Amino acid sequence: MSETAPHYQPVNGVDFKVTDTCMLRCDFCVNADGDHKKNDVDVPKAIDALHELQDAPDELGSLKKVFFTGGETLMKIDLVEQVARAIPEDVFTGVVTNGIMLTRKMLDRLKAIKISRIKLSYDTTQAKDFVTIRNGGTLRHFESIEKNLEDAAVSGILLYLRIALGRLNVGVMEDIYKKAMDLGVDTLQIKPIIASGRAGENKDSLSLSPQELLAAFEALGKIYDETRTRVSVSCFPPAARFGLPVK
């Protein structure tokens, strides 16, 4: 009896979760612990995993991108720097951040290790809503993010805005889209609330119905029809369904 060869989905990228640590405890976060759990990346093991991916058979794919995530990734920038230096120059690298620590000095550190993408979690344009949405967030945090966002937009590093779409921010989606246009942001990554971690505990109060999600994307589609902005949208449900430019 012959055995069927296993089928593998080719891999071209990997996310390294650097830490669970974060200064915020957002109700919609897919992590369950945040600042109460120490689980930082093991740098030697991470580098070994990179080498294994580089040496993998061609049918398993080839490593083209690496993103560092958290927790709040920039709270452990020293670990990011150690792993990033082991990444080949032909592999593009990025970080995911809430933006609070994304100062000009931090942008310079990211450039020094050839970080070419930043995914900044951005969920409202309103200071008062930020404090509600970002459990543990303050008005000072909001002001820092707004300033850091403007600096990141002109830093030369490709900038994405990541939006966790739910009941708390669906009313400002159009404002966020317009802000992305004004800043020259390359991509909006819109993800409906994922029922995992703390978001799973709060899914009934946070999640939108399918009909509400469709209405939100249809509203963004109308803005695009009017402006023909270069901002593209990466999301589920597929943004192409509403005539938006998609990445």
Side-chain angles (χ1 to χ4, degrees), residues 85-154:
R85 292 191 183 102
I87 299 173
E89 290 194 4
D90 61 345
V91 175
F92 77 70
T93 54
V95 296
V96 179
T97 175
N98 61 33
I100 292 173
M101 298 179 65
L102 193 63
T103 60
R104 290 182 182 179
K105 186 176 291 188
M106 183 64 75
L107 287 167
D108 289 339
R109 288 182 72 169
L110 295 177
K111 287 181 182 179
I113 54 174
K114 297 181 172 57
I115 295 294
S116 60
R117 270 81 168 162
I118 294 171
K119 293 183 179 181
L120 194 153
S121 297
Y122 189 81
D123 301 292
T124 182
T125 56
Q126 304 299 313
K128 60 180 177 59
D129 293 337
F130 174 86
V131 175
T132 302
I133 291 172
R134 296 283 186 173
N135 194 351
T138 65
L139 292 178
R140 181 172 291 183
H141 285 149
F142 178 79
E143 292 166 358
S144 295
I145 292 169
E146 291 296 300
K147 181 182 184 304
N148 295 343
L149 177 56
E150 292 183 3
D151 290 337
V154 296

Side-chain angles (χ1 to χ4, degrees), residues 200-215:
E201 299 167 6
N202 298 290
K203 63 181 180 181
D204 292 338
S205 61
L206 296 177
S207 299
L208 295 170
S209 69
Q211 293 77 16
E212 289 169 320
L213 284 172
L214 291 175

Side-chain angles (χ1 to χ4, degrees), residues 49-84:
L50 278 171
H51 292 159
E52 288 180 14
L53 286 168
Q54 290 170 244
D55 297 337
D58 290 342
E59 62 267 22
L60 298 187
S62 59
L63 187 62
K64 293 183 172 60
K65 57 185 177 181
V66 174
F67 270 91
F68 296 99
T69 72
E72 172 45 40
T73 313
L74 299 184
M75 292 182 76
K76 302 290 182 176
I77 184 61
D78 55 327
L79 301 181
V80 173
E81 289 170 328
Q82 292 177 60
V83 178

